[in-house]
Amino acid sequence: MTEEDTAQTDTASEYVAILGSSGGNLRSHGGNDPARLIRDVRRQLRAAGFALADVLFVSASSSMDGIAPDAPAELWGIDGADPVVIESGTLAEINEIARTSDARLAERVRLGEITGLVLMSSDPGDTHAQTIAAAAELGIPVAGTGGSSIALAQQMGVNLVSASGTTGTTSTTRAVSYVSGLARYWKVKYRPALGGSSASSSDAPRTEATWRRISIRGIMVGSIPAFIALALVLAVSKIPGLDGLSPVFDLLIAALPVVVAAVAARKISGLDEVGLVAGAIAGILAQEGGILGGLVAGILAGMLASGLINLTLRWRFPATTANIVTGAFAGLLPGLLVYFVLAPFTSLLGEWVKTSIEWAVDFNPILAGALAGLAMWPAIIGGVYHSVILPLVLLEMAQKGHSFFGAIDMVSLVMVSLGITLANVIRPRTSGERALAGSGAAVNFFFGTFVESSYPFMFGDKKVFAIALLSATAGGAVVGLTGAEATAYLPAIVAPFIATNAGGMVLAMLTSALLALTLTLLVNIAATRKARVADPVPA
């Protein structure tokens, strides 16, 4: 347990235990990941000022519906605040151990150490019977999901403050539903912790305003795989006999707003599948507005989803209904707004950006390419690249499948980094630098990314940093001169195949890479010779 967890437990107003199983229907809704289920509930409890005091969770290797007694199973509990496997064995063995733990937990309820329960497809008739009976005797609040198990718990007389089935819910929304019910019963102000990750016990609950979770950088980076798929289809479609892939390329371009909207809504809402569905619905309706239309629709869908889940649970909607309402309306309303009102404006704005880039290149292609190349390293080092350059690359690609800034990225960042790292493979200053440079060069060439691999050499010698700027500027100038457009995040050997000018792209890539390689080699040779003179080897 971390110091933060200890402090939170010491100051908690209420202490809650989880009783559950991987269940039947629940197993396909997150029950196959008990650690995630427990962490998500713990995270919401912390956001409300409550503590997770105990866990008794039976996880089986398959659905509990009709499962055999000899099926592999695990008993989950907590160590401090972290979910852990207590025992492993057959389901029959684990159930026997669980009954013993159930008796211990029931005693904690009677002693007042447990003041509330969360039931997740629990077993009120067997492995959780004693604790649930104790909760019924004392009237402590109980929240839960799982149709048949909740019905049986109600028959036992528990004080059920929140109940729902499992269908259509997610780990996150169920956790919010549980804690909303408990907080309402205890009259505690609760704002769900949405966004971020619940991967570890050290994660602080994220309860900031939804708009603070808007990150254009995060949305664009999360959407990159779709754009790379587009570029790959474009490259393959240029192979003789495979021009039949052109309709696939057109379909992918049309689908990009949907991808961007789905990523945006999921990240901003913090609701996993519910946010993803809302974003997809919004993105489908926003396609006419282009990638910017998808971005706007996705952001609005994420913000609306976060508000709707809170509102519906406050109105005591079952978790299943709250999920359905949230996913549907959070997608439809922003989507319709973009479809009927905003699409012409977002489409026009995207066209203006594309036209502005083309105008700058047409006005003075060599100067435009050189300045763009020169700006790339300061942009990525200063943190501007992902916020400005990458969105421009993706915006251009969404219009035509390739990009001026994408070509600059490959030439002025990836190929320059490749040249610097290769130089340090050929003539390193120290023996340890060769392996470091080799791994970086391999990623640069085969994957078109990880330009940060050249940072140790650039930051270690101002001359190498100057070489990077010079090589990037020269390569960028060639991009402008030849009118090549392409993208990065692809193997170096693939980039020319998606370029508008394959020969020009190859020339630009070779210019920056060979210049960086040659000049870095000369600097390294001079540095090693100087080191030998300063520290001669004794005879």
Side-chain angles (χ1 to χ4, degrees), residues 22 31 88 93 112 134 153 225 259 285 356 398 434 475 535:
S22 52
S88 298
E93 293 169 342
V259 174
L285 292 170
S356 298
R434 176 172 278 121
D535 187 20

Side-chain angles (χ1 to χ4, degrees), residues 271-282:
L271 294 175
D272 299 323
E273 291 94 331
V274 176
L276 192 67
V277 170
I281 294 170

Side-chain angles (χ1 to χ4, degrees), residues 377-409:
W377 282 106
I380 196 167
I381 292 170
V384 177
Y385 171 86
H386 291 94
S387 301
V388 178
I389 305 297
L390 182 60
L392 287 176
V393 172
L394 301 186
L395 185 60
E396 283 189 276
M397 289 188 67
Q399 300 271 358
K400 50 195 175 182
H402 40 71
S403 160
F404 166 72
F405 276 104
I408 294 290
D409 190 335

Side-chain angles (χ1 to χ4, degrees), residues 427-431 433 461 463 522-538:
R427 186 65 180 267
R429 300 189 187 189
T430 64
S431 58
E433 289 183 346
D461 190 328
K463 297 186 187 68
L522 293 175
V523 168
N524 283 4
I525 290 170
T528 51
R529 285 178 178 173
K530 183 178 179 180
R532 288 196 193 101
V533 171
D535 187 20
V537 178

Side-chain angles (χ1 to χ4, degrees), residues 17-367:
I18 295 175
L19 304 179
S21 74
S22 52
N25 189 33
L26 176 63
R27 184 171 175 79
S28 61
H29 288 72
N32 59 339
D33 188 359
R36 169 70 186 273
L37 294 182
I38 295 166
R39 285 176 180 139
D40 278 351
V41 174
R42 179 194 64 195
R43 189 163 178 245
Q44 299 306 323
L45 289 171
R46 291 179 63 190
F50 310 148
L52 178 59
D54 213 333
V55 170
L56 181 55
F57 190 98
V58 176
S59 174
S61 58
S62 59
S63 170
M64 291 284 195
D65 295 334
I67 192 171
D70 60 350
E74 295 174 333
L75 180 65
W76 285 76
I78 52 172
D79 179 8
D82 295 322
V84 294
V85 176
I86 304 297
E87 294 286 350
S88 298
T90 66
L91 181 59
E93 293 169 342
I94 293 303
N95 281 340
E96 187 60 37
I97 298 170
R99 293 182 190 101
T100 302
S101 298
D102 183 41
R104 172 188 55 79
L105 190 55
E107 185 61 24
R108 292 192 67 189
V109 170
R110 292 189 175 94
L111 291 174
E113 296 176 5
I114 304 295
T115 57
L117 294 183
V118 166
L119 308 182
M120 292 190 279
S121 294
S122 62
D123 185 7
D126 188 2
T127 53
H128 302 127
Q130 297 179 71
T131 303
I132 292 175
E137 291 171 17
L138 297 179
I140 66 173
V142 175
T145 52
S148 57
S149 63
I150 288 296
L152 183 53
Q154 284 181 296
Q155 290 176 4
M156 295 173 68
V158 299
N159 179 17
L160 202 61
V161 297
S162 173
S164 174
T166 301
T167 301
T169 62
T170 70
S171 164
T172 301
T173 56
R174 284 192 302 273
V176 172
S177 175
Y178 302 145
V179 179
S180 293
L182 294 172
R184 187 167 55 242
Y185 175 82
W186 283 316
K187 295 181 173 57
V188 171
K189 185 177 181 180
Y190 161 60
R191 186 175 184 176
L194 301 175
S197 168
S198 58
S200 68
S201 61
S202 62
D203 292 330
R206 296 276 299 277
T207 57
E208 78 274 28
T210 305
W211 66 267
R212 292 184 180 276
R213 296 198 292 270
I214 300 173
S215 168
I216 303 301
R217 169 180 176 171
I219 295 167
M220 290 304 183
V221 171
S223 303
I224 283 178
F227 290 86
I228 297 307
L230 177 73
L232 289 172
V233 169
L234 177 62
V236 174
S237 68
K238 293 184 178 182
I239 299 174
L242 295 178
D243 53 353
L245 285 172
S246 295
V248 176
F249 174 79
D250 295 336
L251 183 62
L252 282 173
I253 279 190
L256 288 178
V258 183
V259 174
V260 172
V263 171
R266 185 182 186 279
K267 286 180 175 291
I268 293 167
S269 70
L271 294 175
D272 299 323
E273 291 94 331
V274 176
L276 192 67
V277 170
I281 294 170
I284 290 169
L285 292 170
Q287 286 183 82
E288 292 299 320
I291 187 175
L292 292 180
L295 181 63
V296 171
I299 289 172
L300 293 176
M303 296 179 69
L304 186 57
S306 181
L308 278 176
I309 195 70
N310 293 338
L311 185 63
T312 52
L313 291 175
R314 194 178 305 128
W315 287 347
R316 304 196 181 193
F317 282 31
T320 296
T321 307
N323 272 28
I324 293 170
V325 169
T326 297
F329 283 94
L332 277 173
L333 297 179
L336 291 172
L337 175 65
V338 175
Y339 183 85
F340 285 111
V341 180
L342 301 180
F345 300 100
T346 57
S347 180
L348 183 60
L349 181 58
E351 189 64 31
W352 280 350
V353 173
K354 180 175 76 74
T355 302
S356 298
I357 295 172
E358 291 173 348
W359 175 86
V361 175
D362 291 340
F363 178 75
N364 192 323
I366 297 177
L367 180 61

